[in-house]
Amino acid sequence: MGSMEDFLNHDGREFRHSVRSTLVETVSINYEDFNESFLTCSTCLCMFDAGEHCPKLLPCSHTVCIQCLQRIVATDARELGFRCPICRELIKIPGGGVQAIPPSFLVNQLIDLMAKQIREVIPNCSTHENQELMLCETCDSVFCTLCTGGSHVPEEEEGNNNQSSTADHTVIPLSIARKRMSEIVIYKANECSSKLNAADSIVNEEIDRLEHLADAAFNSVNRLFEELGDVMEKKRIEVIGDVRRRKDEKKQVLEQQLKQIEAEKSDVQTNVTTIKHQVDVKNVTTKISELNSKLEAISQLSEPRENSYIEFHKIGDKSFEASVNRLLKDIGRIKTSKTFPSLCRATMETAICNLETIAVIQTLDFHGNIQDSGGDPITAEVITDKGSSIETEITDLENGSYEVRFTPGSIGTYCLKVFIFARPIKDCPLFFEVTRHNSPILSFGSHGFDNQGFIQPCSIAVDRNDFLYVVDTGNSRIKVLTSNFDFSHHITNEHLEGRSVTGVCLGTSKDSLVTVNWRTKMVSEMSLEGKQIGAFTHKELIEPIAVAINPDGDFVVADNGVGVLVFEPCGKLIRKIGKKGTEKGEFRELFSVCVSQQGEIIVADTRIVVFDKNGNFVREFGWKTPKEGSRGRYQGLAMDNNGLLLAVRSDKAGSYIQVFNYEEGTLHSVIDSHGSKLKRPTGISVSPSGDRHAYLVDIGNECVRKFRYK
């Protein structure tokens, strides 16, 4: 007895040879078909054997078993013999009877051959030659039932008390198991071959693409240098033309001088000829005088009126090669990549309906090393559950990673497909769910007095460096946090005392904080470090609860007692806006105020009320009917740089954040804080840097939460 592995290893050479020969000899012959066609009596349909179905060869060449022949002779024999049951030819019975008909040696040889093949295929026990070995699939052991008495252990070991019951084990003949394994091996081999063929095709296609792209790169380089050659040739022709022009100018002057010399020579020669025939001494004297005068003029012709100097002078002292290399340094470069698409992976944040979703693609090489440079040709497609595609934007971060941005417009199952070099990345296509729920990304704080603690936090502001300034009213301080909610420090100031500061905003230059104190009725400005800059109060102030700064630098104060008051930084009242009441443009209960980039004043009440910068009523929105509006209230407002207005609302259905398209007054999305219920949210703020996050203060949970809102 032993394991299947032990059995296969035993006499492995002979066993593997037997299996190979069996596979080769049977792979193209069906055993049952062969027996039926060649080893079966066509009369009784019984297998030929060495006993009662011994094959007999008739003179007509047909083979019939002896039992059938004896039956035919006994029932249908005539004086001359019997007819062949197959072809009906008359067969003469020999003197010795049917037994004297010769056997079919060919059929007997085939029977022996097939019997031999069967004995080789069916593994038998080495002790009991006619006993087939069995395999227990449960414990992977091979055994002979005669050797072990039907169990997995030899008979002499059956009395062992530690033997476990094998009644529920699955036991099958080893030949069947081996046949199954052979089929599995063949199936797996075929699968491997199929995949290798596919891999061969894919690699060859990649080589073809490489050749195509390399040819395109060759052509681009050749075109570039042909263009450079054209430019160089144009410049060469220009410079050579300049040399020719200057040479011709000089040569023209010198040739004119030569013509003048020739003319003078001709004139002198004429004078000489004239003098030779001149008799009058006076005339000769005159000619001599003329020649003397001419000598002075001729002396001026003896020096060229133009010089022969002309040469090409390079500009600068650097060598020509260095100059050209400097010019060609940034002319272009060959770009390649080690990125292996099937190892690259995509990670995605939770996809929320109507909010921009970012999938980050990280590239890796064949060895699994993260790439640190970009430039790969990457394509991405996002498909909705209805089969339509939505717009995507791909950003190369130039560090080996890429961002794929898209905005799903409805909930459902979406599909992201990403290809690099037209090859899919790992786990592509990636299916993901788009939800309507918007849960907080981070949460900070609990009830307490320490660095992590809040007591009635009610307002928040965010500076240009994404530091958060949270009014911790019950602790009379401002807690400063990073955008990742790491504690930085506390700000304390005399105007923060009394546990009654309810509003905060950034100052005109975004480098200071402005607060309001409902108890002391003070509006105070301090530096981001807490140093006092200024403060004022006014007789019109009754219950100031929130503050904002308009584009002119004026302080806009929401006062629950009188409405909205606009002050100069020195404390001078500019105007009062609105009043308590139930009509349009009147306030029921003020909670917050903010100012748009155009200077419009936006007030949080039971609905959102908008005034222009001069205090004139413009519009209201935020609820479908006045009845619905009266059932809830807005408790915090914040406007981002893209025209989205975030409004914190509480009603009977709960508390949530509504994101409006401010210009249209339409609802863009809702932040429901799924899984982290809001109890009493108040202040909200967004970063001036324009990132995707909003920061909310929740008095009921005494914490600050961070959400995605676009």
Side-chain angles (χ1 to χ4, degrees):
M1 183 189 68
S3 68
M4 183 66 177
E5 182 179 1
D6 295 336
F7 175 79
L8 293 176
N9 290 332
H10 176 68
D11 200 11
R13 183 181 305 172
E14 180 181 354
F15 179 78
R16 287 192 296 271
H17 175 75
S18 173
V19 171
R20 282 200 300 272
S21 64
T22 301
L23 288 174
V24 170
E25 293 168 5
T26 62
V27 69
S28 61
I29 299 175
N30 184 281
Y31 180 82
E32 288 75 14
D33 291 344
F34 183 88
N35 285 346
E36 183 178 351
S37 300
F38 298 99
L39 304 181
T40 303
C41 175
S42 58
T43 303
C44 65
L45 301 180
C46 293
M47 289 283 295
F48 292 125
D49 56 28
E52 59 182 3
H53 294 289
C54 177
K56 291 293 184 175
L57 182 62
L58 301 179
C60 63
S61 299
H62 290 120
T63 303
V64 182
C65 73
I66 190 172
Q67 186 183 65
C68 289
L69 291 177
Q70 289 172 344
R71 179 177 52 77
I72 293 172
V73 169
T75 58
D76 298 328
R78 303 177 183 178
E79 293 181 357
L80 298 177
F82 65 93
R83 291 190 179 279
C84 171
I86 300 173
C87 66
R88 307 305 295 171
E89 182 178 335
L90 184 62
I91 307 297
K92 184 178 179 181
I93 301 174
V98 175
Q99 291 289 348
I101 297 176
S104 176
F105 293 102
L106 177 59
V107 172
N108 284 330
Q109 286 179 333
L110 290 174
I111 291 173
D112 293 338
L113 177 62
M114 295 305 295
K116 181 180 178 182
Q117 292 301 315
I118 295 173
R119 284 197 299 272
E120 289 179 351
V121 172
I122 299 176
N124 293 336
C125 176
S126 59
T127 303
H128 308 90
E129 294 183 357
N130 295 325
Q131 183 62 34
E132 183 178 359
L133 293 175
M134 308 298 287
L135 170 68
C136 177
E137 292 184 331
T138 305
C139 53
D140 189 27
S141 64
V142 177
F143 64 95
C144 170
T145 55
L146 295 180
C147 293
T148 61
S151 66
H152 292 27
V153 296
E155 293 180 352
E156 58 271 17
E157 297 182 14
E158 287 183 351
N160 192 336
N161 294 331
N162 294 327
Q163 180 182 359
S164 61
S165 174
T166 59
D168 57 345
H169 288 196
T170 302
V171 177
I172 60 174
L174 181 58
S175 59
I176 296 177
R178 191 169 63 183
K179 182 179 180 181
R180 290 179 182 174
M181 293 178 183
S182 298
E183 292 173 350
I184 292 173
V185 169
I186 293 172
Y187 174 79
K188 291 296 183 182
N190 291 335
E191 186 178 12
C192 290
S193 297
S194 176
K195 290 190 175 182
L196 287 172
N197 290 335
D200 182 86
S201 176
I202 291 172
V203 172
N204 279 317
E205 289 176 1
E206 194 70 15
I207 292 175
D208 291 341
R209 282 195 292 268
L210 174 62
E211 294 290 347
H212 175 74
L213 292 175
D215 289 342
F218 293 149
N219 293 334
S220 297
V221 172
N222 288 334
R223 284 195 301 270
L224 175 61
F225 280 90
E226 285 173 1
E227 292 174 2
L228 289 174
D230 293 341
V231 173
M232 297 292 289
E233 180 64 16
K234 182 178 179 181
K235 188 64 178 179
R236 185 186 72 83
I237 294 173
E238 179 183 338
V239 174
I240 288 176
D242 190 34
V243 172
R244 287 198 180 101
R245 181 180 59 78
R246 292 174 181 270
K247 181 203 74 171
D248 291 343
E249 289 176 354
K250 286 178 174 287
K251 187 176 179 180
Q252 183 179 9
V253 173
L254 293 173
E255 287 177 344
Q256 289 292 336
Q257 188 175 357
L258 285 175
K259 289 179 179 180
Q260 188 175 355
I261 292 173
E262 289 296 327
E264 292 295 338
K265 286 171 61 178
S266 177
D267 187 39
V268 170
Q269 189 63 37
T270 300
N271 288 334
V272 171
T273 302
T274 302
I275 291 173
K276 285 182 180 181
H277 300 88
Q278 188 63 251
V279 178
D280 189 355
V281 175
K282 185 176 179 180
N283 290 335
V284 172
T285 303
T286 302
K287 290 294 182 181
I288 292 172
S289 177
E290 290 176 358
L291 290 173
N292 287 331
S293 300
K294 190 177 290 293
L295 283 172
E296 295 180 4
I298 290 174
S299 63
Q300 295 179 359
L301 294 174
S302 62
E303 183 175 357
R305 295 176 179 175
E306 183 59 86
N307 59 68
S308 61
Y309 177 75
I310 185 171
E311 68 176 20
F312 176 72
H313 179 66
K314 293 190 301 182
I315 299 175
D317 297 330
K318 294 184 179 180
S319 67
F320 174 74
E321 182 179 0
S323 300
V324 172
N325 287 337
R326 185 178 67 256
L327 291 173
L328 297 180
K329 181 178 180 181
D330 297 325
I331 198 171
R333 62 190 179 97
I334 302 300
K335 179 161 181 57
T336 185
S337 172
K338 296 288 187 181
T339 298
F340 192 66
S342 60
L343 289 182
C344 300
R345 54 181 179 266
T347 56
M348 186 188 305
E349 60 192 359
T350 301
I352 302 173
C353 180
N354 294 321
L355 297 191
E356 183 181 65
T357 301
I358 299 178
V360 178
I361 314 301
Q362 180 61 62
T363 57
L364 296 90
D365 65 12
F366 175 76
H367 302 289
N369 300 317
I370 295 177
Q371 299 291 82
D372 57 5
S373 61
D376 291 329
I378 179 172
T379 59
E381 182 181 16
V382 178
I383 303 174
T384 69
D385 51 2
K386 297 181 180 178
S388 60
S389 297
I390 61 177
E391 183 179 355
T392 59
E393 177 185 349
I394 300 175
T395 303
D396 186 351
L397 301 181
E398 299 183 352
N399 60 358
S401 59
Y402 305 80
E403 287 184 347
V404 179
R405 296 172 179 262
F406 58 93
T407 303
S410 61
I411 63 174
T413 302
Y414 284 60
C415 172
L416 171 64
K417 296 181 179 179
V418 180
F419 297 88
I420 304 177
F421 317 128
R423 291 154 56 185
I425 67 170
K426 185 177 182 180
D427 299 328
C428 177
L430 175 64
F431 292 92
F432 61 94
E433 296 294 327
V434 176
T435 179
R436 66 169 56 90
H437 299 301
N438 191 340
S439 302
I441 300 172
L442 293 173
S443 184
F444 175 91
S446 60
H447 181 80
F449 307 93
D450 57 10
N451 294 342
Q452 305 290 322
F454 288 108
I455 296 180
Q456 294 185 331
C458 60
S459 188
I460 185 172
V462 184
D463 70 10
R464 66 186 70 184
N465 296 316
D466 286 339
F467 277 96
L468 280 58
Y469 299 85
V470 185
V471 175
D472 188 2
T473 303
N475 287 316
S476 299
R477 64 191 181 189
I478 294 177
K479 191 184 295 290
V480 183
L481 308 172
T482 67
S483 59
N484 291 323
F485 288 176
D486 297 319
F487 173 77
S488 176
H489 60 281
H490 286 126
I491 296 176
T492 56
N493 183 283
E494 61 177 313
H495 293 288
L496 300 176
E497 298 295 332
R499 294 186 288 186
S500 51
V501 173
T502 55
V504 66
C505 70
L506 292 178
T508 305
S509 302
K510 309 299 182 184
D511 57 358
S512 62
L513 296 173
V514 178
T515 62
V516 291
N517 189 313
W518 68 268
R519 193 187 304 275
T520 62
K521 302 177 179 55
M522 295 290 295
V523 180
S524 173
E525 184 175 9
M526 66 188 75
S527 69
L528 297 180
E529 293 75 30
K531 184 178 180 180
Q532 190 65 36
I533 296 175
F536 67 85
T537 186
H538 195 278
K539 63 180 181 179
E540 294 287 348
L541 292 172
I542 298 177
E543 189 181 341
I545 57 172
V547 63
I549 305 295
N550 67 17
D552 296 330
D554 300 324
F555 293 6
V556 181
V557 179
D559 190 304
N560 204 28
V562 295
V564 177
L565 305 173
V566 181
F567 295 94
E568 292 181 358
C570 63
K572 179 181 178 181
L573 179 64
I574 299 175
R575 68 179 62 89
K576 291 174 61 176
I577 300 174
K579 62 180 181 178
K580 301 284 284 187
T582 58
E583 300 298 324
K584 280 190 175 183
E586 296 180 343
F587 306 121
R588 296 173 178 83
E589 189 175 6
L590 275 70
F591 290 95
S592 184
V593 66
C594 73
V595 180
S596 72
Q597 293 179 337
Q598 293 73 32
E600 289 185 326
I601 298 171
I602 309 164
V603 182
D605 194 80
T606 56
R607 71 280 193 219
I608 297 172
V609 187
V610 181
F611 301 87
D612 65 18
K613 62 181 180 180
N614 296 318
N616 301 311
F617 172 74
V618 177
R619 57 184 168 131
E620 295 179 348
F621 63 91
W623 40 265
K624 296 179 181 179
T625 64
K627 183 177 181 181
E628 179 184 320
S630 63
R631 293 176 180 173
R633 60 192 181 190
Y634 289 95
Q635 297 171 290
L637 296 173
M639 174 78 77
D640 76 357
N641 296 329
N642 297 315
L644 292 179
L645 176 67
L646 285 74
V648 181
R649 182 172 175 83
S650 295
D651 53 31
K652 292 184 177 180
S655 297
Y656 45 90
I657 304 169
Q658 292 178 319
V659 182
F660 291 95
N661 183 317
Y662 174 69
E663 290 298 327
E664 300 175 0
T666 57
L667 186 64
H668 175 267
S669 61
V670 175
I671 302 174
D672 59 357
S673 191
H674 182 69
S676 300
K677 183 178 179 181
L678 300 176
K679 290 186 178 180
R680 190 184 164 195
T682 52
I684 189 170
S685 185
V686 296
S687 170
S689 63
D691 70 2
R692 312 160 61 225
H693 301 110
Y695 304 90
L696 175 73
V697 173
D698 189 340
I699 291 181
N701 289 304
E702 294 189 309
C703 67
V704 183
R705 287 176 174 162
K706 181 178 182 178
F707 296 91
R708 283 170 49 204
Y709 75 94
K710 65 178 180 178

